[in-house]
Each structure stands twice: as structure tokens, then as C-alpha cells.
Amino acid sequence: SADLLDDITQAKKIRISTDVAIPPSGMMDSSMKPTGSDVEVAQLLAKDWGLELEFIQTTGATRIPNVLTGKADIIISTLSVTPDRAKVIDFTKRYATLQSDVGCLKSSTVKDWPDLKDKPIGVSRGTTQDTTLSNMKDKDLKISRYDDDATMVTAAVSGQVDCVASSATIINQIGVKNPSRVFESRIPLATFDLAIGLKKGEQRLMDKLNAWITENVKNGKLNAIYKKFHGVELPPDMRS
Amino acid sequence: MQQNPSSSEPIVSLRDVQKSFGPLRVLDGVSFAVERGEVLALIGRSGSGKSTALRCIDRFEKVDGGEIVVCGHRVDRPDVDLRALRQDVGIVFQSYNLFPHLTIEQNITLAPCAVKGMATSQARDLARKVLAQVGLEEKLHAYPEQLSGGQQQRAAIARSLAMQPKVMLFDEVTSALDPELTAEVLKVIEQLAADGMTMVMVTHEMGFAKGIADRIVFMHRGKVHETGPASILTSPATPELTQFVGTGNLKS
Amino acid sequence: MQQNPSSSEPIVSLRDVQKSFGPLRVLDGVSFAVERGEVLALIGRSGSGKSTALRCIDRFEKVDGGEIVVCGHRVDRPDVDLRALRQDVGIVFQSYNLFPHLTIEQNITLAPCAVKGMATSQARDLARKVLAQVGLEEKLHAYPEQLSGGQQQRAAIARSLAMQPKVMLFDEVTSALDPELTAEVLKVIEQLAADGMTMVMVTHEMGFAKGIADRIVFMHRGKVHETGPASILTSPATPELTQFVGTGNLKS
Amino acid sequence: MGGHLNINHLMFLGQGALWTIGLSVIALIGGGIVGFVIALARISPLKSVRIASGVYVQLIQGTPLLVILFLGYFGLAAIGLKVSALAAAGASLTLYVSAYLGEIWRGCIQSVPKPQWEAAEGLALSRTQRMMKVILPQAIRIATPPTVGFMVQIIKNTSLASVVGFVELMRSGQIVNNSLFEPFAIYAIIAVVYFAMCYPLSLFSQKLERRMGRGRSNLAPA
Amino acid sequence: MSLQLDFPAVLERWPNFLAGAALTLELAAFATVLGALFGTLAAVGRGARSPLIAGACKVYVETIRNTPLLVQIFLVYFGLASLGLKFSAFTVAVAALTINVGAYTAEIMRAGFEAIPRGQIEAAEGLALSRLQIYWHIILLPAIEKVYPALTSQFVLLMLASSVCSQISAEELTAVANYIQSDTYRAFETYIIVAVLYVILSLVMRAGFWGLGLVLFPRRRRLGTPL
Ligand SMILES: Nc1ncnc2c1ncn2[C@@H]1O[C@H](COP(=O)(O)OP(=O)(O)OP(=O)(O)O)[C@@H](O)[C@H]1O
Ligand SMILES: Nc1ncnc2c1ncn2[C@@H]1O[C@H](COP(=O)(O)OP(=O)(O)OP(=O)(O)O)[C@@H](O)[C@H]1O
Ligand SMILES: [Mg+2]
Ligand SMILES: [Mg+2]
């Protein structure tokens, strides 16, 4: 196999590593079919390239090993671009962004970092939010790490934690699940670029993916998908 | 519940005792009595109900009918005070049933301390005394498995003695032992008899029964078939006992 | 490896056999021989090494020194052909060790078919024959657990016989049985002796040893202490044997 | 997303349950075959074989299944073997099950009373004949109840195969929960489904054990 | 080889591994002690004369033994929260593990009780010991001795099974591994190290139980019969 792109073309099939347990990027609809923003991005890509699409089900922790060990060709799974990750895999251009906040129960009095002292903050283990919070050693934070977003949201919905660090979309979801526990964003954490991840050294595939992203940002298709699931548009600097 | 039995009353008495296991009638109207200081030997072929009769005396089996009185306890009644009964009765089984995780001393002191509330030091002295009675002083701190079968059986007898029972029951206490070990256990029992202990023993050792028993009870098919002094073994009245002592002689 | 033993040579011979378990010297220079057609009884107190000596003959224990020859097989040598040896020797233990998952017939036919390649129908006839020898024809299709202890022991003897051994070893084959069952097993062995089978038997039944054995070997502390015809039991030469038969007589 | 538990969710859970059963069967068959070899190796007359199989058992039994699955899934790929998730999970479960079944069966073989081995030896049967005709038939009887009992463990442990992307019962429950967020209700349903799969096996194993207990006490003293 | 192994990059994080291993051991220790007590009580309860107590103990044992630990942990964790009770992840993990291992202990102990020969109990009855005294002096220790290997294996299994506590935010060894591997993207190396650590932990536990056995069973020690 000289080149991953050739392999994909030859197989007429692309294998995409996607976590379907992190709504609204990946989830199951009421008829238990995969849906979500990442799922639709993947479907769009496969359609444009005329390939059959295979989802490699993954969890947050196994997203990257899946492409490193050749079990999947690319990752489309709310993968934010960080320097650490860039040492291990290559990233395309961003295809979306993710606003991360610390969100708290509406009735809580948390306003800023000092108020968070001794309050457990729920977070998905190994996500960029986790890394960001873990690096704030000076702030004396208490972090409760869950295996995936779903468990974290469940913990928030059921009352195990009153604060979470996650995307704004997910923070807003909690109240929908349990009207007596409405969460709202209180402290902005960071904005991350989301990109497609792939194994290092696959330049031809990388070029082709970048071209595809550029085109679909321009024609508004990616923005439409984002708005459909996240309720807001992509940031202005990305749309222009 | 316990009355002091007057010396004229028997220590153990069974009257018309009935006992079935399911459809099998094991005791079919058994009656006999044991006087204070008497040694009674229960003999009979395998399955004739000897062990069952013995176990009924200490209430390890409930009887279906009849009357059992032991040291004034009405053993056949459902409301008999079991723990009081068993302080008056010592029982030793064929499989010695020493507690394997306790030393011989602990085996002996356990019941006096736990049941009678005896002080540990006093119980230890007692253990030494009863072990001397069975000739095992030096095994005080050994564990059961370190003893030979005969020694284990003697220790089991000592353990019973430590509760100072009024009557002792023995169920074929030597049948798991070889001849030499048998001899040492029988010597201990002989000594107990000489000291005036009341005893009921199930045994296959005809020679021994002849030598030590004041009275023989021969059981056959759940009934007392023949009873009398040791001499009935040499001149049996019934053909069943004749046959029984006949086959028993094969062992010689 | 196997030579046809000339009739003048003994079938079993032990010379200066040594065997230790760890620090414990169990056989300390044991020598005796068994002629064709002879019945030899091994007696001695518990732990004197009788079972060990017997097990050495069939190579269930490796000896540390000395020489054992059985039907021409040099049993002490590491290269002895075990399966050939065991076709010539039948052994029966105290615990009968019938295979519980097989019927009596299957127990008996297993070895002739598997080892000697006998045809099934022929093996079945053989089973019927040896069972008749021990008086158990009607139990052909029973499972071991359906038999009494004495019947199981006789079936175990029949199973050994089916291999048509040149010599049979018995290790206290009756000591787990009560007197009546003992009698039926001893009758079978008596019949075998009358038929001329060579036998070595460890036994506690002094009366039986006296009646059937051509020669007695009395073991004491891992040594052959006294040996001679059955009459040595009634007039022992050594004080140890005197004491041993003395205590043994308690059983009568 | 959201909404109430509907027939699709239940179908999805049912599909997960089917995968749980499928994985269990694969694990039982694979683990059974390898476990049998392990059991024999553990009582081999060759010391080196005994030690090697002992180390194998210690290693596998000392590692959580989660970690074995992970190493099986990514480890095989890392050394260049392309395997499907099914093959990787099957291989990992086989390793795991074989170590436990091997030990269970070794115990059963060795619990056939020593006199039985000696009686078979005394009849001049060869080692293979002793094993096949005398020891194994008895060992199988002894081994059936604990083996059936261990199948319960297998069924429950396949829930960990979710880490390598298997949507079996546990994972399907998590996914349904992600769209409904009624953890207590959904996990209770999952618990009931597992119970429905496992309890009959437990009962069966207990029944076998009791029946055997009776049979065994009737056997000749050993 | 499609993957280059780089152990030093992962081993750099040894303090995290160590903390995870320590928490795993701590979880196992608490759950072992509590589970042993709880399970023994349940085993005694199963033999109770009252059908209510015996039945309740049976339902408890069977329910736990026939559902996965992960489900039990979720039910305890989210169930307690739904009731408005908030405990630390550690407390919940210990509680769930205790409930779990208690059921297995109960089954094992029951087998131990049943393995005490009838004659032992009769001998004790013949010495006029009360029911409670018989349980305490005659049954308990010998029963534990009989099933000690099974018990210790169960507790080692419990330690390994505690890896699922990562799901409810207990930072034990597997949680640490997940965290480190998503941080370093060295999954394979991380899990090999973790596997080695688990093997070491299970050896440590077995050694500990061996030592405890020497203390608990003085007869074994004196007579030199290994368990
Ligand atoms: N717990 C029991 N349940 C059912 N049957 C029993 C029980 N105990 C004894 N039996 C039966 O009762 C009969 C008499 O038994 P018992 O033990 O009293 O005889 P034994 O005279 O002591 O015989 P042995 O000399 O063999 O000890 C036997 O047939 C026995 O099988
Ligand atoms: N496999 C073994 N390992 C260690 N010691 C053993 C072994 N087999 C026997 N012994 C010991 O060797 C000694 C002789 O045992 P053996 O069984 O030969 O005696 P025996 O004369 O047959 O006694 P019994 O009449 O009690 O059967 C005993 O002290 C016994 O404990
Ligand atoms: Mg009896
Ligand atoms: Mg012997």
C-alpha cells in the first residue's frame, strides 16, 4: 500500500472513526441511526467522493489509536487541534470550531474561577477541556473525569455534579434533558478548531481533504450542517 | 426442668421408643434402662438401630413416640432444655470429631469456658487433669492431626470428661482403629468404668463387651431382641444372637 | 524384557529393598520371595511399611535401593516396562476403586480391550466368567454405587482377575468392611488360593492369615522381623510378634 | 434527539443482546478449546510445560479483561496484523476465558481421587488411556457445574468488548441513554436483560451441582 | 510495524501511574474488608431459619451475581444522585464494589459452611455449645480456611474488576491509563505498562493474603501445610 488515498480509492470505501455517543456531534436518532453534525459531515464527504462510508465506532479515548493502527482512514469526531496531538497525527484545515465553557447549574452562584474551588467539575476524560483544566494547577480545581460526554451529561442531569466543562452546545443540552436542572455557560474556556485527523505522512489525502473543506465552507454546506445541530452558525471569520 | 434423680431411679431410661426415617422404621419400641454406675453395651448387626438409639438419648434425633428420661430431663418432649441435657451427657463418636483448628488444650477448654463460664486458668488445669486421665498429658499443645487415631480418640474422651457428665455415650469408638490403638482406648474406658462412670456403649468388640459390660442389650431390626448379663454372649438364648456372635468370631 | 520365569525361580523376590519418604526410612532392607502358587501374608503394626512394600512390587513407588524381580521384570530398574509388569501383576486396594462412571462389566472389560486388544464380545464372556468366580454374575450391568461394599470389593477382584495376572496383591481388602461383608470377600480369596493363584496379601485378619497363608512375613519398623509358616502366629519367636498377636487377639 | 423510549430503542437493545450472546458463544468455544489444552499442560509430566502454562495463567488472570481487549485490538494491529474488531475481541476473550477454564478444569481433573489414577495404572492402561477412559469421563461430570457457572461470567464480561467498538448490550444501553438521558430506567432495563440471560444458567449450574453432590456421596470411599 | 513504540514518553508520567495504582489498591482493600464482612453475614443469613431473611439474602446474591458490575456501579451512582444523595466517586465505588464482592463472598462462604463435616457440629452440640458459639468457634474459621484460596482469588478478581470505576470518575489505574493515553497518544505503550502494573498488584495482593493466612491459621503455620 503505497498511499492511503490509493487504498481508499481502490476499496471504493472510506472508513471514518466517529464517536456516536457525543451529542450533538455524533448520536443515534430515535430510529437508532447515526446522526449528528460529524456524522453528516462524514456522509457529505463520502457522497462527494463517491465512496461507500463505514463508521468505525469509537470512544473518545480510541479515536486516535484507530487511525494510528489503520483500523480507520480518518477521524471526524470533534477532534480539536492541539500541538500535542499534532505530534502524533496530521490535521487538515478546520471544518468547524468548538466553543468550550464552564457551565453551571442556573441556581448556582458561580461567576468566576475562585467560585469553583472545591466544586467538582464534570469533564470528559482526555478531551481538550480536560487537558485545559488539568493544566490550571494554580486554580485548585476539583475535576471529575468521565469516560465520555454521555456519562458526564448523565452525571450532570442526575445531580452528581453541578458544574461541567464542555462545549456550549452540550451545556445547553442538560436542561433539555432535565428541566429541573438547567445549566448555563458561566466562564469561557477556549475556542478550539475542529479538524479531520489522519495518519502522518499522507500528503495526497491531506491535500484532497483540504480542498474539499475549502469548497464546502465556501458553498455553505458545512455551515448548514453546523447550524442544524448546534443552533448557531460557524464563526464569521470562517465563513468569509 | 432438671430434677435431682434419686439414686433409685435409673439415669437413662427408654420406654417403647419409636423412630422412623421416612418409611424406614429404625426403632420399633425400644425399652431399656441404665442405673447409676452401670455399664451397658449395645450390640447388634449393622443397621439394627444401635447408633440411632444412642443418638436419641442425647437428642441428636427426635423420637416419634415413647418416653426417654435422662438425668431427669424428658428428652422426648419438644421443650427439653437441650443445653442442660448435654451438660449432663457426654458423647463420643466413631470419627473422633476433634476440632482440627484448635490444639488439644483448646479443644478441651472450649466448652467449659464457653458453656460454664469457667476461668481460662482453671479450665487449663482441668484440661491437664482429664488428659492425665487418658494418658495424654504431653499432647496438650499438639493439633489433632499430629496425633494417631487412638490418641485422637482418647483426646475426644478427655474433652467429654472435662464437662463432668453424669453419663457417657460411646458409639463404636474403636472401630476406626487398628488392634493396638484399639487396646489403648479400651484401657481408658475400662478405667472410667472402674471409677464408677455410667456408660452406654455401642460396640463391635465382643471380647471387650464381655469383659466390661454389666449388661448387654442385643438389638435386632429396631427391637431389643435379647438382654441380660455378659454371659448371654457365651450362651445366647435366641438363634439371632447365636448367629451374631458366630459371625463376630470371624474377627479372631 | 520379560523372561519366562523357570518354575524354580520365585515369582516375586525382594532383596535388601530400601525406601524413604523424605527423612522417614520406611523400608530398611526388606527381603522376601514368593514362589509360584504360594500365598504370602504380610502382617505388622500400622506404619511398619506393609503397604509400601506391596506398592513397591507393582512399582507404585520407586525404590531407593535393593533389587525387586517380579515375573522376570527388574522392577527396581528405571527402564522397567511398566505396562508389561502390570499385565503380570493384579493389585486390589482397601478402597475398592471401581470406576464409578462405568458398569461392572465395563470396569472389567476396559483393560483387556484397551491393553490386550481383546475383541469386545470375547471380553464380555471373560467378564461373565470372572464375575462368576466371585459370585456376582447378576451384577454385570450394575454401577458400582449400586453394590454393597463387599460386592464392590469382589468386583474389584474380578476386574484384576480379568487381566489374568500371574500374581495378585491385596492391601487390606477387607478392612473397610463389616464382619459379614468381610466373610464374603475372604471366601472369594480362599477360593483363589485353592485354585493355585500366587498371592501377596497385607491383612489384619489374623485368623484368616493363619488359615490360608503358606507363609507369614511379620514386618516391624521397615524390616522383616520374623518369617515362617502360619504356625509362627501361635508360637511367635520374637517378643514383638508376641505382642502384636497378643493385641490382635483382643478382636476375638 | 430526546424523546421517549420507543420500539426502536428496544430493538436496538435487543440487537445488542444478540451481540452479547454471539460474543459469549465465540468466547466459550475458543476459550474452551484453548483452556482444555491449558488444563492438560498444567498437569503435564514435563516440568517446563507445567511452568510455561502456569505463567500464562498467572499473566492472563493478573490482567483486567479491559486491558487484554485493548492490547488485543490495537496490539495485533500494531504488529502489522490486520484483524477485524470481531476477530480481536474473539481472540482476547479466548485468551481470557482459556486461562480461567483451564484452571477450573485442571482442578476438576485433579480432584478425581488419586486411587482412581492408581487403579487405572494397576490395570496396565497407558497414560492416554487412563486419561481418556478413566479420568476425563469422571472429570467432565465434576466440571460441568463450574463450567456452566463460568459461562455467566463470560456473558457479563463481554460488556467490556464495547471498548473496541462493539455495540453489545451494555454499549447499546449507553447509546440509548445518550438520546434519552434516563440512566436509572435504562440501566435497570439492561440489568434485567443480563439477569434474564444469566440467571437460568446459574440455576442450571446449581441444579447440576446438587444432583452431582448426591451422586458423589454414593461413590466408593477413596 | 505500522507503529513505533516509545515507552520513555509514557513512563515519564510514572507519578500518575503510581497514584492510579495506589487508588486501585485502596479501593480493593476497602471493598475486600467490607465485602468479606458483608458477604459472611449474607452467607449466615442464607442459612437463617426465618424464610424472610434467607429469601432476602438469596435475592441479593442472585441479583448481583447475574448482572455486570458496570451496570451495578451505574445504578448505584446515578440512583443515589437521583435520590438527591451525593457521595464522592470513591465512596460510591467502594459501596458498589462491596455490594458486588459481598455476593460472591456469600456464595463462597456458604460452600465453606457446608464443607464443615456434620460430625463437627454434632460434637459441638454434644458439648452443650449454643448455636452462636458453634458458628463462632467451630464453623467460621475452619470454613474460611477451607475456602481461603477461592476467597483470595475472588478478591484479586475484584481488584481487577475495579477498573470499571473509571467510568464514574474514580481516578484508579485504568482511568489514569485512559487519561495518559489520550494525552500522549501512546495507547499501546500505556496499556502494556498498565497490564504489567495490574499483574504486579495482583501478585502483591496474593502475597498479602498468603501472609494473612499465616496469621489466621496458626495450625497451618505450625504443621507447615500450605494452603
Ligand atoms: N439420618 C438418617 N436418615 C435416613 N436413614 C437413616 C439415618 N440414620 C440412620 N438411618 C438408617 O437407619 C438404620 C439404622 O441405622 P443405625 O445407624 O442406627 O444402625 P447401627 O445399628 O448403628 O449400624 P452400624 O453398626 O452400621 O453403625 C439404617 O438402615 C440406616 O441406613
Ligand atoms: N507417600 C508417602 N509420603 C510420605 N510418607 C508416607 C507415604 N506413604 C507412606 N508413608 C509413611 O510411611 C510409613 C509406612 O507406611 P505404610 O502405609 O507402608 O504402613 P502400613 O504398614 O501399610 O500401615 P497401615 O497398617 O496403617 O496401612 C508410615 O509412617 C507412613 O506415614
Ligand atoms: Mg452405628
Ligand atoms: Mg497400609
Side-chain angles (χ1 to χ4, degrees):
Chain A
S1 65
D3 179 301
L4 192 51
L5 182 57
D6 290 342
D7 291 348
I8 293 171
T9 323
Q10 224 162 46
K12 294 201 175 60
K13 185 166 97 175
I14 185 159
R15 297 166 306 152
I16 302 183
S17 170
T18 304
D19 186 352
V20 292
I22 43 169
S25 306
M27 57 192 170
M28 294 292 188
D29 63 17
S30 60
S31 57
M32 300 316 288
K33 294 226 170 48
T35 181
S37 54
D38 282 334
V39 171
E40 290 205 359
V41 170
Q43 283 164 342
L44 182 63
L45 176 75
K47 200 177 113 225
D48 284 356
W49 288 8
L51 296 170
E52 191 193 325
L53 169 61
E54 183 186 347
F55 280 118
I56 303 294
Q57 297 241 8
T58 174
T59 59
T62 56
R63 285 178 297 184
I64 292 173
N66 266 325
V67 294
L68 289 182
T69 56
K71 293 194 180 290
D73 299 318
I74 59 173
I75 309 167
I76 305 180
S77 187
T78 51
L79 190 64
S80 9
V81 181
T82 67
D84 268 345
R85 286 177 178 169
K87 285 185 209 149
V88 191
I89 51 171
D90 282 346
F91 285 107
T92 60
K93 309 172 56 163
R94 61 182 177 173
Y95 68 89
T97 62
L98 190 67
Q99 167 67 36
S100 293
D101 298 321
V102 175
C104 295
L105 201 59
K106 202 165 183 182
S107 58
S108 90
T109 56
V110 173
K111 295 233 156 42
D112 208 347
W113 291 109
D115 305 331
L116 281 171
K117 217 174 148 197
D118 290 334
K119 283 203 166 45
I121 309 169
V123 62
S124 235
R125 184 177 287 122
T127 56
T128 41
Q129 294 92 353
D130 185 5
T131 320
T132 313
L133 288 181
S134 301
N135 287 337
M136 298 180 172
K137 297 236 159 56
D138 51 328
K139 291 209 168 65
D140 224 357
L141 299 173
K142 209 168 144 193
I143 307 170
S144 286
R145 298 184 182 86
Y146 297 91
D147 268 16
D148 49 28
D149 282 353
T151 318
M152 178 199 69
V153 172
T154 310
V157 168
S158 64
Q160 282 286 357
V161 291
D162 293 339
C163 300
V164 296
S166 192
S167 69
T169 328
I170 288 182
I171 292 170
N172 292 329
Q173 285 295 320
I174 299 171
V176 179
K177 301 300 166 197
N178 184 349
S180 66
R181 291 183 61 81
V182 175
F183 278 58
E184 54 187 25
S185 296
R186 287 283 166 83
I187 308 165
L189 202 56
T191 301
F192 299 105
D193 290 338
L194 301 185
I196 297 174
L198 66 162
K199 206 154 123 187
K200 277 197 172 297
E202 300 290 346
Q203 198 53 49
R204 285 182 56 226
L205 179 59
M206 167 84 105
D207 292 344
K208 191 162 179 201
L209 284 168
N210 279 334
W212 180 82
I213 291 170
T214 310
E215 186 194 329
N216 283 282
V217 167
K218 209 171 274 163
N219 67 20
K221 282 185 182 168
L222 285 174
N223 188 42
I225 293 174
Y226 195 80
K227 184 149 188 243
K228 175 175 168 194
F229 287 96
H230 297 259
V232 291
E233 308 213 316
L234 287 171
D237 63 313
M238 228 187 121
R239 277 178 283 145
S240 58
Chain B
M1 185 75 12
Q2 180 180 359
Q3 304 130 21
N4 226 340
S6 88
S7 59
S8 72
E9 260 174 24
I11 283 199
V12 176
S13 90
L14 284 77
R15 239 188 36 220
D16 194 29
V17 171
Q18 312 274 344
K19 171 77 193 170
S20 301
F21 290 114
L24 184 71
R25 167 151 297 197
V26 178
L27 298 184
D28 190 9
V30 168
S31 307
F32 60 80
V34 188
E35 305 294 330
R36 177 180 293 274
E38 196 180 28
V39 176
L40 184 135
L42 269 178
I43 62 170
R45 54 201 283 182
S46 182
S48 57
K50 307 179 297 292
S51 297
T52 307
L54 202 74
R55 291 166 60 82
C56 285
I57 296 176
D58 209 9
R59 198 42 159 37
F60 281 107
E61 309 287 352
K62 282 190 193 113
V63 298
D64 300 333
E67 189 191 274
I68 302 185
V69 185
V70 178
C71 301
H73 305 280
R74 279 293 300 264
V75 178
D76 51 306
R77 295 242 178 98
D79 62 348
V80 58
D81 181 349
L82 271 182
R83 296 188 62 198
L85 167 70
R86 284 169 182 165
Q87 289 188 43
D88 288 339
V89 181
I91 186 163
V92 183
F93 302 95
Q94 169 182 341
S95 51
Y96 343 116
N97 291 327
L98 291 172
F99 306 128
H101 60 299
L102 302 179
T103 63
I104 299 303
E105 183 181 53
Q106 290 167 333
N107 260 281
I108 295 175
T109 55
L110 175 62
C113 292
V115 177
K116 298 189 166 172
M118 194 179 279
T120 316
S121 62
Q122 201 188 342
R124 289 219 178 116
D125 291 341
L126 178 64
R128 234 167 287 263
K129 204 192 95 195
V130 291
L131 275 179
Q133 246 179 301
V134 301
L136 277 182
E137 302 92 319
E138 77 281 16
K139 297 296 183 185
L140 206 58
H141 298 296
Y143 281 97
E145 62 189 287
Q146 293 173 299
L147 305 189
S148 75
Q151 290 171 332
Q152 289 192 45
Q153 192 58 288
R154 285 188 279 155
I157 295 175
R159 185 175 65 179
S160 272
L161 285 177
M163 288 293 280
Q164 295 163 315
K166 301 206 173 76
V167 53
M168 298 263 301
L169 312 177
F170 295 94
D171 191 358
E172 293 187 28
V173 289
T174 60
S175 65
L177 304 175
D178 70 21
E180 256 174 306
L181 300 179
T182 296
E184 53 182 58
V185 174
L186 295 184
K187 228 171 65 193
V188 166
I189 297 178
E190 241 161 349
Q191 188 55 49
L192 280 179
D195 294 350
M197 176 62 80
T198 313
M199 296 192 280
V200 182
M201 47 199 313
V202 173
T203 184
H204 272 148
E205 307 284 338
M206 289 309 135
F208 182 67
K210 224 183 297 184
I212 192 182
D214 299 310
R215 207 142 46 83
I216 307 278
V217 169
F218 170 59
M219 289 192 59
H220 186 68
R221 305 209 173 171
K223 287 196 160 75
V224 175
H225 200 77
E226 196 174 334
T227 175
S231 60
I232 63 167
L233 291 178
T234 36
S235 49
T238 60
E240 286 80 7
L241 183 52
T242 315
Q243 199 205 344
F244 179 74
V245 291
T247 58
N249 273 340
L250 247 175
K251 283 262 181 193
S252 73
Chain C
M1 183 79 9
Q2 176 179 0
Q3 303 130 21
N4 226 340
S6 87
S7 59
S8 70
E9 259 175 26
I11 282 198
V12 175
S13 90
L14 284 77
R15 241 191 32 221
D16 195 28
V17 171
Q18 311 275 342
K19 171 76 193 171
S20 300
F21 290 114
L24 183 73
R25 168 152 296 198
V26 178
L27 298 184
D28 190 10
V30 168
S31 307
F32 60 80
V34 188
E35 304 295 329
R36 176 182 295 274
E38 196 179 27
V39 176
L40 185 132
L42 268 178
I43 62 170
R45 53 199 281 181
S46 182
S48 56
K50 309 179 295 293
S51 296
T52 307
L54 203 74
R55 290 166 60 83
C56 285
I57 295 176
D58 207 10
R59 204 30 162 44
F60 280 108
E61 310 286 354
K62 282 189 192 114
V63 298
D64 301 333
E67 188 190 275
I68 303 185
V69 186
V70 177
C71 303
H73 306 280
R74 278 292 300 264
V75 179
D76 51 306
R77 296 243 176 97
D79 63 349
V80 58
D81 180 348
L82 274 181
R83 296 188 62 198
L85 166 69
R86 286 170 181 161
Q87 290 187 45
D88 288 340
V89 181
I91 187 162
V92 184
F93 302 95
Q94 170 181 341
S95 50
Y96 344 118
N97 296 327
L98 292 171
F99 305 131
H101 60 296
L102 302 178
T103 63
I104 299 302
E105 182 181 54
Q106 290 166 334
N107 261 282
I108 295 175
T109 55
L110 173 61
C113 291
V115 177
K116 296 188 168 172
M118 193 179 280
T120 317
S121 62
Q122 200 187 342
R124 289 218 177 116
D125 290 343
L126 178 63
R128 234 166 288 262
K129 204 191 97 196
V130 290
L131 275 178
Q133 245 178 304
V134 300
L136 276 182
E137 303 91 320
E138 78 281 15
K139 298 296 183 185
L140 205 59
H141 299 296
Y143 280 93
E145 60 187 303
Q146 296 172 304
L147 305 191
S148 75
Q151 290 171 331
Q152 288 193 41
Q153 193 58 291
R154 286 187 279 155
I157 294 174
R159 183 175 67 180
S160 273
L161 285 177
M163 288 295 279
Q164 294 162 317
K166 301 206 174 76
V167 53
M168 297 266 299
L169 313 177
F170 295 94
D171 191 357
E172 293 187 27
V173 288
T174 60
S175 65
L177 304 175
D178 69 19
E180 258 173 304
L181 300 179
T182 297
E184 55 183 55
V185 173
L186 293 184
K187 227 172 66 191
V188 166
I189 297 178
E190 240 162 350
Q191 188 54 48
L192 281 179
D195 294 351
M197 175 63 79
T198 313
M199 295 193 279
V200 182
M201 47 198 312
V202 175
T203 185
H204 272 148
E205 307 284 339
M206 289 309 135
F208 181 67
K210 223 183 295 183
I212 193 182
D214 298 310
R215 207 142 44 85
I216 307 278
V217 169
F218 172 59
M219 290 192 60
H220 187 68
R221 304 208 172 171
K223 288 196 160 75
V224 174
H225 199 75
E226 195 174 336
T227 175
S231 61
I232 64 167
L233 291 179
T234 35
S235 49
T238 61
E240 286 81 5
L241 183 53
T242 314
Q243 199 205 343
F244 180 75
V245 291
T247 58
N249 272 340
L250 251 174
K251 284 260 183 195
S252 74
Chain D
M1 116 183 84
H4 292 287
L5 196 63
N6 65 27
I7 186 76
N8 289 321
H9 296 129
L10 293 181
M11 298 251 301
F12 190 70
L13 289 178
Q15 217 169 47
L18 281 183
W19 266 116
T20 291
I21 293 171
L23 279 173
S24 305
V25 169
I26 292 169
L28 181 70
I29 293 174
I33 293 170
V34 181
F36 181 67
V37 175
I38 296 293
L40 291 183
R42 292 280 280 130
I43 54 168
S44 157
L46 296 176
K47 195 167 179 187
S48 53
V49 174
R50 282 202 307 271
I51 291 177
S53 52
V55 168
Y56 170 85
V57 167
Q58 280 301 320
L59 275 183
I60 303 281
Q61 293 197 347
T63 314
L65 177 57
L66 197 67
V67 174
I68 297 177
L69 277 163
F70 212 94
L71 287 173
Y73 189 60
F74 295 117
L76 288 178
I79 57 171
L81 281 173
K82 286 260 183 297
V83 291
S84 64
L86 182 63
S92 308
L93 285 167
T94 293
L95 281 188
Y96 177 79
V97 170
S98 70
Y100 285 91
L101 276 187
E103 275 303 273
I104 292 174
W105 290 347
R106 174 188 65 91
C108 292
I109 291 175
Q110 286 183 333
S111 73
V112 173
K114 185 139 180 291
Q116 289 283 323
W117 298 71
E118 289 194 338
E121 224 182 311
L123 290 171
L125 298 175
S126 69
R127 194 181 155 80
T128 319
Q129 287 171 338
R130 287 193 302 251
M131 208 44 142
M132 299 307 294
K133 297 192 190 263
V134 176
I135 304 304
L136 286 183
Q138 297 186 55
I140 285 172
R141 270 172 50 102
I142 306 173
T144 311
T147 305
V148 175
F150 186 71
M151 279 162 64
V152 173
Q153 304 300 318
I154 299 177
I155 291 178
K156 292 191 299 175
N157 282 332
T158 52
S159 66
L160 297 175
S162 57
V163 298
V164 296
F166 256 105
V167 186
E168 39 59 67
L169 182 52
M170 185 71 208
R171 180 72 174 162
S172 69
Q174 280 174 324
I175 291 174
V176 170
N177 182 45
N178 292 343
S179 57
L180 294 181
F181 287 96
E182 286 180 26
F184 199 79
I186 289 168
Y187 289 121
I189 292 175
I190 305 281
V192 168
V193 178
Y194 271 112
F195 188 82
M197 289 196 278
C198 296
Y199 189 57
L201 282 177
S202 294
L203 271 187
F204 182 50
S205 145
Q206 283 164 16
K207 211 169 116 190
L208 283 174
E209 220 158 90
R210 242 173 292 139
R211 186 188 307 161
M212 255 197 38
R214 215 178 302 139
R216 213 169 359 175
S217 62
N218 284 341
L219 295 186
Chain E
M1 265 316 247
S2 53
L3 190 69
Q4 300 290 319
L5 292 185
D6 182 7
F7 279 102
V10 177
L11 282 173
E12 231 168 52
R13 310 289 294 263
W14 64 267
N16 301 53
F17 280 117
L18 216 57
L23 190 71
T24 291
L25 210 52
E26 210 176 320
L27 280 173
F30 272 97
T32 295
V33 172
L34 295 175
L37 291 176
F38 196 56
T40 306
L41 283 181
V44 174
R46 279 198 77 171
R49 286 197 204 121
S50 145
L52 197 71
I53 296 178
C57 290
K58 185 174 154 74
V59 168
Y60 157 65
V61 168
E62 293 299 342
T63 310
I64 297 300
R65 278 162 40 90
N66 290 293
T67 50
L69 173 60
L70 188 52
V71 176
Q72 292 158 17
I73 285 191
F74 277 144
L75 282 176
V76 174
Y77 190 65
F78 297 126
L80 282 177
S82 307
L83 295 174
L85 299 170
K86 245 190 266 182
F87 296 101
S88 71
F90 181 81
T91 314
V92 173
V94 167
L97 291 175
T98 298
I99 292 173
N100 181 268
V101 82
Y104 289 92
T105 306
E107 269 309 272
I108 295 173
M109 285 303 294
R110 195 165 67 106
F113 290 160
E114 280 168 8
I116 301 293
R118 184 84 210 119
Q120 289 282 309
I121 294 161
E122 289 195 341
E125 280 172 3
L127 290 169
L129 295 177
S130 69
R131 222 177 131 77
L132 199 69
Q133 285 170 334
I134 293 176
Y135 253 116
W136 183 247
H137 291 291
I138 307 306
I139 299 183
L140 198 55
L141 201 62
I144 293 177
E145 187 177 327
K146 283 210 165 67
V147 297
Y148 198 67
L151 272 182
T152 55
S153 299
Q154 192 61 54
F155 293 135
V156 172
L157 280 180
L158 164 82
M159 185 272 291
L160 299 176
S162 72
S163 65
V164 302
C165 296
S166 64
Q167 303 259 2
I168 56 161
S169 80
E171 296 292 307
E172 45 70 63
L173 192 47
T174 303
V176 168
N178 287 339
Y179 179 70
I180 290 178
Q181 70 92 7
S182 60
D183 217 25
T184 60
Y185 311 104
R186 294 277 167 204
F188 196 54
E189 295 89 329
T190 307
Y191 281 99
I192 284 185
I193 292 170
V194 162
V196 170
L197 284 175
Y198 271 113
V199 170
I200 292 174
L201 281 184
S202 58
L203 291 179
V204 165
M205 272 183 84
R206 283 193 187 280
F209 281 120
W210 180 78
L212 182 65
L214 289 186
V215 177
L216 277 181
F217 314 120
R219 176 174 60 114
R220 300 263 182 179
R221 192 174 60 229
R222 231 176 73 196
L223 304 184
T225 36
L227 278 162

